[in-house]
Amino acid sequence: VDELFAESAGDILLAMEPYLPAPPLEPPKVLPALPDVSQDLTAEDRDREFFFMGEECIAAALHVNYDIPLLRLHADGRPPEDMSKALLATTCDFLGTCAAMPKRLEDSASVGELKELLSLNLEQRQRPRRWSQWRLHCPVSLYDKRLVPGDQEFALEYAGCVLLCAGAEQQRRFCAWPKLFLTEAPRINADGMKLGYVLLGP
């Protein structure tokens, strides 16, 4: 083996040429097929407006069916820094006080009189709470077109006011999105309300 490679100066191709002849340099009888360019990946040529319309339809459906609030900001041509400032100004940065999220009143079921809820768990120097416009009625039930008295066990504190919910489900809904139930002032003659009349006499 050493002599075989010594004659070709260590060139493996020259040493193996007598045993494995190289193929002739002739053109092939059948040319290979050209690649199918139609299968290549190309950029999407769909109108982007159709995608935006689809996104708007999905957002509207979520808002209607699941009561998810909508917030729309126009970001055409704006850099991320400007968009972050616009989002902050729209959601948080405004003149006035920012109300904290609703908070359940601990030990509300143990109070003797309902007026004790106005000062429950408050220190002596803290301002007492006040009743909301809904007074002793459940704001969530009134939003659902039902006039239902609230239960002190499901009392809430929100924006310095005390609100009474009719049950655990109404309390959960109010804590998830309080603004939904406080947009309009309470009215017992709202559209969809079923009113009854009672005549009392001797």
Side-chain angles (χ1 to χ4, degrees):
V1 177
D2 294 338
E3 295 178 357
L4 179 63
F5 286 103
E7 295 176 356
S8 59
D11 193 328
I12 297 177
L13 295 179
L14 291 176
M16 300 300 296
E17 185 177 4
Y19 307 98
L20 297 174
L25 298 177
E26 297 178 358
K29 296 180 180 180
V30 180
L31 295 176
L34 295 175
D36 187 2
V37 295
S38 63
Q39 302 297 326
D40 294 345
L41 296 177
T42 57
E44 223 171 48
D45 57 354
R46 295 281 185 178
D47 189 355
R48 296 299 300 172
E49 291 297 327
F50 287 102
F51 292 98
F52 295 148
M53 291 172 58
E55 293 174 356
E56 290 182 358
C57 292
I58 293 174
L62 292 174
H63 174 66
V64 173
N65 298 327
Y66 299 98
D67 291 338
I68 297 178
L70 295 179
L71 178 63
R72 177 178 297 179
L73 293 177
H74 296 284
D76 297 340
R78 296 187 181 183
E81 294 78 10
D82 293 348
M83 280 306 304
S84 61
K85 294 179 181 179
L87 182 61
L88 180 63
T90 306
T91 56
C92 303
D93 191 11
F94 63 93
L95 298 177
T97 58
C98 183
M101 292 299 293
K103 182 176 63 174
R104 298 179 178 86
L105 289 179
E106 300 293 337
D107 304 325
S108 60
S110 60
V111 299
E113 298 183 7
L114 290 178
K115 64 180 181 179
E116 297 179 17
L117 295 174
L118 302 180
S119 58
L120 180 65
N121 300 330
L122 291 180
E123 297 181 359
Q124 186 175 4
R125 294 184 178 181
Q126 288 182 289
R127 294 181 56 184
R129 308 178 186 95
R130 60 185 185 277
W131 291 112
S132 69
Q133 296 182 12
W134 285 258
R135 302 294 293 179
L136 306 182
H137 291 86
C138 175
V140 180
S141 299
L142 191 61
Y143 176 84
D144 295 334
K145 310 304 181 184
R146 295 184 298 112
L147 187 62
V148 180
D151 191 331
Q152 69 182 58
E153 181 180 356
F154 305 103
L156 291 170
E157 177 185 3
Y158 181 67
C161 297
V162 174
L163 299 103
L164 301 181
C165 295
E169 176 61 20
Q170 288 78 10
Q171 188 183 61
R172 183 196 64 79
R173 290 174 59 191
F174 187 91
C175 291
W177 190 9
K179 185 178 178 180
L180 176 66
F181 310 102
L182 305 180
T183 303
E184 298 182 357
R187 294 187 301 126
I188 63 172
N189 61 340
D191 296 337
M193 290 287 293
K194 297 181 179 179
L195 301 178
Y197 299 91
V198 176
L199 297 179
L200 301 177

